Amino acid sequence: MIIKGNIIKIAGPVIVADGMRGTQMFEMVKVGNNNLIGEIIELEGDTATIQVYEETAGIQPGEVVESTGGPLSVELGPGVMGSIFDGIQRPLEIIKEASGDFIARGVDAPSVNKDKKWTFKPVAKVGDIVKPGDVLGEVQETTAVLQKILVPPMHGGKIKSIVSSGEYNVLEDIAEIETEDGDKKVQMLQKWPVRKGRPYEDKLDPDVPLVTGQRAQDTFFSVAKGGTAAIPGPFGSGKTVTQQQLAKWADADIVIYIGCGERGNEMTEVLTEFPYLEDPKTGNPLMDRTVLIANTSNMPVAAREACVYTGITIAEYYRDQGYDVALMADSTSRWAEAMREISGRLEEMPGEEGYPAYLASRLAQFYERAGRVNTLGTDSKIASISVVGAVSPPGGDLSEPVTQNTLRICKVFWALDASLADKRHFPSIDWLQSYSLYIDSIQGWWEKNVAPDWRNVRDEAMVLLQKESELQEIVQLVGRDALPDTEQVTLETSRMLREDFLQQNAFDDIDTFCTPEKQYSMLKTILLFQKEAIAAVEDGANVQSVVELPVKERIGKMKYIPENEFSDEISKIQNDITKECSEA
Amino acid sequence: MNTNIKTREYTTVSEVAGPLMVVEGVEGVSYSEIVEIQTPSGEQRSGQVLEVNKDVAVVQVFEGTIDLNTKTTKTRFTGETAKIGVSKDMIGRIFNGIGRPIDGGPEIIADDELDINGSPMNPVSREFPEEFIQTGISTIDGMNTLVRGQKLPIFSGSGLPHNDFAAQITRQAKVLGDDSDFVVIFAAMGITHEEANFFMNDFERTGAIENVTVFMNLADDPAIERIMTPKMALTTAEYFAFELDMQVLVILTDMTNYCEALREISAARGEVPGRRGYPGYMYTDLASIYERAGRIDGKKGSITQMPILVMPQDDITHPIPDLTGYITEGQIVLSRELFRKGIYPPVNVLPSLSRLMSGGIGGDKTRDDHSGVSDQLYSAYAEGRDLRDLVAVVGEEALTERDQKFLKFAEAFESKFITQSKDEDRTIFETLDLGWELLEILPKSELKRVKEEFIEKYLSKSDDE
């Protein structure tokens, strides 16, 4: 039933309408003569408070508000992959066709093309008993993604009919299922309310790392598949590049990138770069397995509030098909600020720093939608959503509410540091501040797949870095020459760890991605230098000549050696370390 | 849109507080609509609807609420959102903060009437900025390169020479090998007469005025007008750039005054304040200004922004520079410490950054060694500065030979590379060669950020000279 009310009050993105009795919380409504999209966020008697996803200038009291009968939902089905959406899943390309280079209001842009025919291949047969999550058929959505058309939740039963292999659009019935509540027709297109997580069977422990090819992240502060990580970084600390590197290189099947309240030009960089990026795994365009959601900082604030939900719901849809999904949200602070802005307009009692009191629970709800799960269905699959959320703490102050509430939930913390960025140390992940709580659970994977002594090597390097910061304090006071020779060597090795291992050049063709094997060997090589150099110094070698050995320069260039030449080169370097140290 | 707009006049002002006025018993008023106000003495003012609640409208009055009463003040709702008439003839003219000519010249005959709020640029329509703009200033060109379509603010402190610096950039900025029309739009918000005169004289002296459109809201103009000034300027910029194919550089000074005005209105409306009393929507509001920089795919023109803001107490974590830094693509930071040493321009390169630099430099745009030289200068200067702190504790003798070289480099960097005179226009090649000259101070093995081939190509080259 469609309910029609009238606007009585307008203040920025928040409007109030009366005559709305019978509408529901979070129901989507069309506002005013321009049919702007809005969502009900408060009900009181006859009146409803609505947040509007588009600019409200020009709207008058008395204009009509019309309910749509359902909550804000996304459309899921073939055609989603490879798209670039705004915060409420309108394809930006279609908006461009409709309204030109600037986004006009009230543009009706269907999320998924309803006319396009897809080749559907049935997998299930008539008479099969299916549960929600079972595969009805398959559609090759892009070269990289085989979309599985699943039995929707609540639709379990016996298949009464299913179409044969052929071309169908997303609205055509492809199957009929006899359920307890009567026969239900199934189309390829499903709608799902964004604020409600899609169901799964159960959650699993995160014990497989999400390999990103970034040394600092993989070796020291690894995030597990299905895990959550936070990147707080003051501006100018390289946060965006770090996230884009993850989007490009992380070993996930599907990448969802949410640009939430970010810069238009940077979003453009993503939008123009992604279509040309080659997927290192398949050689296909990376865009074939990517969904971009772009809500730049000057686009309406309410849509910014919605965009992270839109993103994670699409992620869940692909997770349900058995894929590993990596979701990047840049930045969740902008999302929280959108909540604050709307809350302010509602004249709610503010919590800490003006943020609404429900900030913590909203953040927790969002991050809890990540995880490694057994999906629904008879042949349950293991699939995951890993979430990397960027946080932009005002003034770099990590004690502010968004960062603090995020840290309470996320298991990995990549602390970006502006002073490292100043020194052009990229990625500017502060090795002393950052942490990962997944190291123990993913240790087994590294031991099995890379090297049995991985954990020792990693920890040893970590200890050196810790030691360096202590030694640096002493050096500040008494100068480097006052340190014992072995500690001078330690200082030198930890400098190598910082410059030759932790620093990684995202813009270098080779260094931009580093396999776990190469990471391990590089680390091992630097530690070998430490061992041999200490031994040499203890044998009476001059410390100055040890730290100036020619092999050091080659260690510094290790990162630029291509993967296929690497194992030969590295053993030469290791031999030379031993040789030069013993001769020193 | 509702086209049935009849003129609606009311004398039902029920409340005046700060810059706001409440009108009761109104009908058919739309959000953001422009209101014409006649004061009891007959003076004309204008305002904008901030909130409508049934038949009550809250109006912000641009020229101030002094003299208004709740008895005979006349208000007329125009049914239109704020617009500006734009035309090519605006180049070389001076307007006040709400777009009225104040240079004694004729009224502008508008080619088009545009809504000053604009619409967000569709991210898919944008073209990534990557054309190098040469400002002739080494610290910008060499290490924080500005590109067309970028928004790069100057963070300054009170008393620092940001005006000289901005004027120098305005004068010198050019795109190498491009002869399309280049115009500057200068929007001043709450600056003093003296500062305004400085800019006007400078533009006139150098002949730049021919290519400048000025929007001037002075310190003694109503604060509330400041809210409109940047929007007026940027709407005009969009017209120049995307309709007339011009390359537009917009200088906005001083954004701090703009934010103060925003806070003033917010407080008058009794809104829940955010950090330091600034409204919670300040980020969105600033974004709606800064994000109007850019380029559009398939169009020749571009809008490049250089907002100037004075950081209260030189505090870069203050909400204004902080939120600005999150929206703009980098920042140029002026430093009091360098200024005290007598260095001009006192650009502290360490916290300065241009996020769009990597796209605008390199072989076909500037020179192949640009990014390497820049990185190397950065890291060497950072190290030199750290060592300076150390020297303060342990004395210079305690440093190794290597460290002393870095120390020497830092000094030379400040006195030769950063320092340049107010009319010194260095080409990018001069800047890069100067960089190599300084890098010679360091041991060759320390030049890790530059590729080997460039060290051979350029370091030896400067040896020969």
Side-chain angles (χ1 to χ4, degrees):
Chain A
M1 193 186 64
I2 289 173
I3 296 161
K4 283 188 180 176
N6 293 94
I7 298 174
I8 53 174
K9 179 183 169 181
I10 306 141
V14 172
I15 67 156
V16 180
D18 67 3
M20 298 295 286
R21 197 178 282 270
T23 53
Q24 295 167 5
M25 273 298 270
F26 296 112
E27 184 167 345
M28 210 167 95
V29 291
K30 299 227 160 151
V31 176
N33 302 337
N34 284 338
N35 281 330
L36 309 181
I37 297 166
E39 189 181 23
I40 295 178
I41 49 174
E42 209 174 275
L43 287 168
E44 195 184 339
D46 259 358
T47 64
T49 306
I50 296 156
Q51 60 175 346
V52 183
Y53 291 120
E54 295 173 82
E55 174 62 45
T56 50
I59 294 188
Q60 299 181 354
E63 287 185 30
V64 173
V65 175
E66 197 180 296
S67 75
T68 61
L72 182 69
S73 301
V74 286
E75 294 187 341
L76 302 166
V80 169
M81 194 47 61
S83 299
I84 301 166
F85 295 117
D86 77 351
I88 46 175
Q89 214 206 2
R90 294 183 303 181
L92 287 168
E93 294 281 357
I94 310 270
I95 294 182
K96 185 182 171 186
E97 280 165 29
S99 77
D101 296 327
F102 294 88
I103 300 175
R105 293 186 294 161
V107 179
D108 187 25
S111 305
V112 173
N113 188 332
K114 307 291 189 324
D115 300 322
K116 185 171 176 181
K117 297 269 186 186
W118 297 91
T119 310
F120 173 81
K121 290 196 192 112
V123 172
K125 301 184 303 292
V126 174
D128 284 358
I129 306 290
V130 287
K131 295 205 308 196
D134 281 351
V135 180
L136 286 173
E138 292 171 343
V139 171
Q140 191 70 45
E141 191 179 5
T142 65
T143 46
V145 179
L146 180 70
Q147 179 154 149
K148 292 160 186 155
I149 308 297
L150 306 177
V151 177
M154 321 289 290
H155 278 55
K158 191 169 143 193
I159 297 185
K160 225 174 144 188
S161 71
I162 184 161
V163 294
S164 54
S165 189
E167 308 268 309
Y168 303 92
N169 72 31
V170 291
L171 291 179
E172 285 175 74
D173 295 332
I174 47 154
E176 195 170 356
I177 301 172
E178 199 178 316
T179 71
E180 287 173 3
D181 312 328
D183 294 355
K184 286 187 174 166
K185 293 193 164 109
V186 178
Q187 301 83 30
M188 284 195 265
L189 188 77
Q190 295 184 19
K191 279 197 163 194
W192 192 266
V194 294
R195 293 181 199 276
K196 196 171 154 194
R198 287 175 63 89
Y200 52 83
E201 199 66 49
D202 52 10
K203 275 207 175 169
L204 300 169
D205 281 341
D207 52 12
V208 178
L210 182 76
V211 176
T212 64
Q214 310 303 306
R215 286 186 292 270
Q217 277 106 323
D218 283 356
T219 300
F220 290 115
F221 311 109
S222 184
V223 61
K225 276 190 178 148
T228 52
I231 315 186
F235 64 74
S237 60
K239 173 171 59 70
T240 310
V241 175
T242 308
Q243 275 211 322
Q244 289 180 3
Q245 280 297 98
L246 290 177
K248 283 180 207 171
W249 296 107
D251 69 333
D253 302 310
I254 309 277
V255 175
I256 314 267
Y257 189 95
I258 308 172
C260 175
E262 278 299 304
R263 303 176 183 88
N265 281 333
E266 248 162 45
M267 210 56 230
T268 303
E269 191 180 13
V270 177
L271 300 185
T272 46
E273 232 183 55
F274 267 66
Y276 295 106
L277 283 180
E278 205 175 83
D279 185 343
K281 282 195 280 186
T282 61
N284 292 323
L286 188 62
M287 207 52 210
D288 278 359
R289 56 183 186 88
T290 306
V291 178
L292 298 176
I293 295 170
N295 184 275
T296 56
S297 54
N298 56 339
M299 283 156 80
V301 63
R304 196 180 312 151
E305 197 266 337
C307 70
V308 296
Y309 295 109
T310 302
I312 194 122
T313 312
I314 294 174
E316 286 175 338
Y317 176 66
Y318 284 96
R319 174 204 66 193
D320 291 347
Q321 299 172 33
Y323 292 115
D324 286 324
V325 183
L327 180 139
M328 328 269 156
D330 187 10
S331 135
T332 57
S333 292
R334 303 289 157 246
W335 173 52
E337 275 163 21
M339 274 192 252
R340 173 166 74 179
E341 196 170 324
I342 306 272
S343 163
R345 303 270 190 189
L346 289 176
E347 293 170 0
E348 289 174 341
M349 186 70 78
E352 212 179 335
E353 289 198 20
Y355 285 100
Y358 46 79
L359 173 72
S361 59
R362 289 278 171 90
L363 281 169
Q365 277 163 12
F366 167 68
Y367 281 106
E368 267 306 285
R369 287 172 77 171
R372 194 153 168 270
V373 302
N374 281 316
T375 60
L376 290 181
T378 324
D379 307 316
S380 177
K381 294 166 285 272
I382 294 177
S384 66
I385 300 178
S386 316
V387 174
V388 178
V391 188
S392 325
D397 168 19
L398 297 183
S399 68
E400 59 92 36
V402 181
T403 311
Q404 281 307 310
N405 284 309
T406 305
L407 289 184
R408 234 168 274 153
I409 307 156
C410 288
K411 302 282 184 295
V412 176
F413 176 59
W414 292 322
L416 298 189
D417 182 37
S419 72
L420 287 175
D422 285 350
K423 292 177 195 152
R424 291 297 181 265
H425 176 116
F426 288 117
S428 59
I429 295 175
D430 183 326
W431 51 93
L432 298 174
Q433 297 279 325
S434 304
Y435 60 80
S436 165
L437 302 183
Y438 294 119
I439 297 297
D440 291 333
S441 58
I442 59 161
Q443 185 179 347
W445 183 93
W446 279 89
E447 285 171 354
K448 191 163 148 249
N449 292 286
V450 181
D453 63 341
W454 171 77
R455 182 66 189 263
N456 290 341
V457 171
R458 176 204 176 269
D459 288 353
E460 198 181 326
M462 209 57 225
V463 168
L464 278 177
L465 288 169
Q466 296 278 1
K467 178 93 180 160
E468 183 198 27
S469 82
E470 289 163 25
L471 291 177
Q472 283 296 359
E473 281 174 23
I474 304 172
V475 170
Q476 292 286 339
L477 291 175
V478 297
R480 187 170 174 146
D481 293 339
L483 290 181
D485 288 356
T486 52
E487 294 194 335
Q488 289 191 44
V489 171
T490 302
L491 271 184
E492 195 55 32
T493 315
S494 36
R495 196 170 67 89
M496 286 157 73
L497 281 175
R498 280 189 286 115
E499 292 180 6
D500 305 336
F501 186 83
L502 288 173
Q503 286 184 17
Q504 189 165 0
N505 187 348
F507 301 104
D508 185 275
D509 291 341
I510 294 161
D511 198 29
T512 186
F513 179 84
C514 189
T515 58
E517 291 76 17
K518 184 174 167 188
Q519 295 183 20
Y520 168 79
S521 305
M522 284 174 70
L523 202 57
K524 190 93 178 158
T525 308
I526 295 173
L527 292 176
L528 177 74
F529 176 85
Q530 163 78 357
K531 190 172 140 235
E532 298 288 348
I534 293 270
V537 171
E538 280 172 349
D539 276 355
N542 179 316
V543 69
Q544 200 59 29
S545 61
V546 169
V547 298
E548 279 168 10
L549 286 175
V551 75
K552 262 191 58 201
E553 202 176 319
R554 286 165 61 204
I555 296 177
K557 302 255 152 89
M558 264 192 311
K559 53 173 99 164
Y560 301 115
I561 304 173
E563 296 284 341
N564 53 1
E565 300 164 22
F566 190 73
S567 60
D568 293 346
E569 267 310 304
I570 205 87
S571 33
K572 277 187 215 155
I573 294 176
Q574 290 185 348
N575 285 338
D576 288 349
I577 290 176
T578 316
K579 191 161 143 253
E580 287 180 20
C581 282
S582 58
E583 287 165 3
Chain B
M1 280 301 286
N2 187 357
T3 48
N4 176 25
I5 299 160
K6 64 176 200 250
T7 309
R8 290 143 299 155
E9 283 195 25
Y10 302 95
T11 50
T12 44
V13 174
S14 66
E15 190 183 328
V16 184
L20 305 183
M21 178 180 86
V22 178
V23 191
E24 283 182 351
V26 297
E27 214 176 298
V29 167
S30 50
Y31 177 67
S32 267
E33 170 173 1
I34 290 294
V35 187
E36 286 174 3
I37 301 150
Q38 194 179 28
T39 67
S41 58
E43 193 191 330
Q44 284 291 332
R45 290 189 195 159
S46 56
Q48 186 177 20
V49 176
L50 274 190
E51 189 177 310
V52 220
N53 194 347
K54 289 178 192 160
D55 61 349
V56 179
V58 180
V59 177
Q60 69 178 31
V61 184
F62 292 132
E63 291 99 333
T65 47
I66 192 164
D67 293 346
L68 296 188
N69 67 14
T70 51
K71 197 175 167 197
T72 51
T73 303
K74 281 188 197 150
T75 55
R76 182 172 153 268
F77 291 82
T78 60
E80 302 215 355
T81 50
K83 292 202 160 123
I84 180 170
V86 288
S87 148
K88 194 171 182 182
D89 300 336
M90 294 171 80
I91 299 171
R93 299 289 304 275
I94 304 173
F95 302 88
N96 71 1
I98 50 175
R100 299 196 179 129
I102 49 169
D103 53 359
E107 289 284 325
I108 294 294
I109 298 161
D111 291 337
D112 206 351
E113 291 260 325
L114 299 175
D115 185 335
I116 63 156
N117 290 309
S119 297
M121 218 185 265
N122 190 329
V124 252
S125 292
R126 278 182 189 266
E127 193 175 338
F128 190 67
E130 48 190 8
E131 286 162 300
F132 171 66
I133 296 181
Q134 180 177 295
T135 62
I137 289 168
S138 292
T139 40
I140 297 183
D141 292 350
M143 300 171 74
N144 298 287
T145 314
L146 177 68
V147 295
R148 263 187 200 172
Q150 184 175 15
K151 38 197 181 297
L152 188 65
I154 296 168
F155 287 3
S156 184
S158 36
L160 297 184
H162 43 266
N163 289 340
D164 296 278
F165 190 52
Q168 188 175 5
I169 292 170
T170 313
R171 252 183 351 248
Q172 297 181 168
K174 58 177 155 291
V175 177
L176 297 179
D178 188 311
D179 53 357
S180 54
D181 289 334
F182 192 87
V183 290
V184 174
I185 294 185
F186 186 83
M189 291 154 280
I191 65 171
T192 61
H193 278 274
E194 229 169 288
E195 286 169 312
N197 283 344
F198 166 80
F199 281 112
M200 297 321 299
N201 291 339
D202 194 89
F203 292 158
E204 266 163 36
R205 182 173 59 85
T206 56
I209 186 73
E210 310 265 297
N211 277 324
V212 181
T213 301
V214 179
F215 290 87
M216 190 77 79
N217 166 278
L218 296 174
D220 55 355
D221 288 336
I224 215 80
E225 277 186 34
R226 268 159 227 164
I227 301 293
M228 307 284 276
T229 310
K231 291 178 178 156
M232 293 278 167
L234 287 163
T235 308
T236 312
E238 278 170 4
Y239 178 75
F240 286 172
F242 304 129
E243 300 297 328
L244 304 180
D245 290 338
M246 292 177 169
Q247 311 301 335
V248 189
L249 174 67
V250 183
I251 307 237
L252 303 168
T253 181
D254 168 343
M255 287 306 289
T256 307
N257 295 335
Y258 173 85
C259 294
E260 299 290 341
L262 208 60
R263 176 164 69 176
E264 193 177 324
I265 297 173
S266 170
R269 292 181 65 184
E271 288 172 339
V272 179
R275 263 204 306 159
R276 302 227 188 159
Y278 293 98
Y281 50 81
M282 193 158 85
Y283 178 80
T284 308
D285 194 279
L286 286 173
S288 72
I289 291 175
Y290 297 141
E291 279 294 341
R292 289 172 85 172
R295 294 167 72 210
I296 289 180
D297 193 20
K299 301 238 166 124
K300 272 197 204 142
S302 66
I303 300 179
T304 310
Q305 277 188 26
M306 262 200 153
I308 299 170
L309 58 90
V310 169
M311 299 183 282
Q313 290 182 320
D314 295 354
D315 176 11
I316 201 168
T317 67
H318 184 280
I320 299 170
D322 193 52
L323 295 180
T324 298
Y326 274 122
I327 306 164
T328 54
E329 286 122 357
Q331 64 277 335
I332 304 289
V333 183
L334 301 190
S335 140
R336 197 168 297 277
E337 185 200 335
L338 291 176
F339 178 65
R340 285 199 187 118
K341 279 188 181 174
I343 292 170
Y344 172 89
V347 176
N348 185 358
V349 293
L350 295 183
S352 298
L353 171 79
S354 165
R355 290 163 180 275
L356 301 183
M357 177 171 177
S358 58
I361 61 172
D364 52 338
K365 289 168 182 140
T366 55
R367 209 166 77 182
D368 46 9
D369 57 329
H370 193 156
S371 103
V373 171
S374 165
D375 281 355
Q376 188 65 62
L377 289 172
Y378 253 112
S379 71
Y381 181 56
E383 180 146 8
R385 291 266 298 227
D386 281 351
L387 286 166
R388 220 180 258 170
D389 297 339
L390 184 60
V391 167
V393 182
V394 299
E396 203 166 328
E397 300 74 29
L399 294 186
T400 61
E401 199 182 329
R402 171 189 173 277
D403 288 354
Q404 282 182 9
K405 283 181 177 163
F406 275 90
L407 206 58
K408 192 176 154 213
F409 170 83
E411 292 297 336
F413 181 80
E414 286 176 3
S415 61
K416 288 188 180 156
F417 193 87
I418 301 182
T419 304
Q420 62 188 93
S421 71
K422 284 176 189 171
D423 50 11
E424 190 177 355
D425 190 356
R426 288 186 195 151
T427 68
I428 180 64
F429 307 109
E430 285 167 353
T431 294
L432 292 175
D433 289 341
L434 185 59
W436 280 108
E437 200 184 308
L438 296 174
L439 290 178
E440 258 178 82
I441 299 171
L442 302 176
K444 203 164 152 190
S445 62
E446 290 292 335
L447 304 182
K448 286 188 181 173
R449 308 296 177 108
V450 215
K451 285 195 181 160
E452 205 78 45
E453 49 176 303
F454 297 138
I455 297 185
E456 268 159 42
K457 190 167 161 192
Y458 294 105
L459 198 64
S460 54
K461 184 182 131 194
S462 34
D463 276 347
D464 298 339
E465 282 164 5

